[in-house]
Amino acid sequence: MRADIAFGQYYEGDSFLHRLDPRWKILFAILYIVVIFLAKNVFSFVLLILSAIFLILLSKIRLRIIFRGLRPLIFIIVFTAIINIFWLKGKTVLVDWWIIHIYLEGLVNALLIVIRVVILVAGTSILLTYTTTPIALTDGLERLLSPLAKIRLPVHEFSMMMTIALRFIPTLVEETEKIMNAQKARGADFSTGSLVRRAKALIPILIPLFISAFRRAEELATAMECRCYTGGRGRTRMNVLHSTWRDLVMLLLLCALGAAVVLINIYAPGYTLAM
C-alpha cells in the first residue's frame, strides 16, 4: 500500500486518539470541520494551526506521514491559491503590471484558504482514518445511524459500502501505478504531447483498471456469500463500543476550541477572510 495516500490508511498505535470511541470520532470530525469553517480571523487561523499540531501530538503520527497524505491535493491547493491571489482585489497594491494586479489582501486570503484546506484534510484524517481501523469505523457509523433502521433504511449495508469504498481507494491507486509502470515498460508515454494525446494515452490504463476493479468486486462478493453474509440481521459484535472519559475530554476540548474561534472572530482585530 502506498504511504502517500491518506484515505483509507490506518496506522497502528496506542495513542489518546487511537483509544477514542469510533462513534465519537465521527462526531468529533464533523465538529472539527464546523470549527474550521467558522474561522474567519487571522488569529482564529493561528488557533486552528495550534489545534492541528495538538492533534498530531495526540495521535503520535509522524509529521512526514501527514505531509505525504497531502501530496494528492497539491494541485487543488495551488490552484485555489492562484485564484485568490489574482482575482481578489483590495486596497494595498503589491504588483501592478499590464493585466496582472496582485493585492496584499489577495495574498493573505490565499494563505488562509491554503491553511484551511490543509488543516481540514490533515485534521479529519487524523481523527478518522489514521487512528481508526475500517472495521471500527464501520461499527461506529452503523451505531450512529441505527435509529434510521427503525424506518427500514439499510443502515448496515450503507456502512459496509462506505467502508469498502474507503478501504479500496489505496488498492485502486496502487493498481493504477502498476498498470502505468507496465505500460511505460512497453513504450507508453504519459508526460509529453498535447492534452488530447495525453487523454488518449490514458485509455490503455482505464480499461485494465476497470476490469481489475470489477474482478475484485466479484471476488469480494463471492467471499462474502461463502461466509454466509446476510447483512446486519442477527449479527453480533465481538467488540462492544463503550464511551470513556477520553471521549468527554475530547468533546470539551473541541467545544472550547469552537467557542474560542467564535470569540476571536468577534472581538480580536485582524484581517478577516474574504468569501
Side-chain angles (χ1 to χ4, degrees), residues 7-9 129 134 137 161-170:
F7 302 105
Q9 283 213 20
T129 56
L137 197 59
M161 178 184 65
M162 291 291 293
T163 305
I164 291 175
L166 187 68
R167 174 59 185 84
F168 271 87
I169 288 176

Side-chain angles (χ1 to χ4, degrees), residues 3 10 22 43 50 117 137 188 196 216 221 223 252 270:
Y10 167 72
F43 297 104
L50 295 177
V117 173
L137 197 59
V196 177
R216 289 180 182 273
L252 294 176

Side-chain angles (χ1 to χ4, degrees), residues 18-76:
H18 282 83
R19 297 183 180 183
L20 293 179
D21 191 310
R23 297 171 296 179
W24 283 102
K25 283 186 182 182
I26 297 174
L27 297 177
F28 292 157
I30 297 174
L31 180 59
Y32 194 59
I33 292 173
V34 172
V35 172
I36 290 174
F37 281 97
L38 284 176
K40 305 292 183 181
N41 190 284
V42 172
F43 297 104
S44 63
F45 274 88
V46 173
L47 186 60
L48 285 182
I49 294 174
L50 295 177
S51 70
I53 296 174
F54 181 68
L55 286 178
I56 294 174
L57 294 177
L58 281 182
S59 65
K60 297 181 180 180
I61 296 177
R62 296 179 181 178
L63 193 61
R64 177 168 53 91
I65 296 175
I66 305 297
F67 285 135
R68 283 183 179 179
L70 295 172
R71 285 182 183 178
L73 299 175
I74 290 179
F75 175 78
I76 297 176

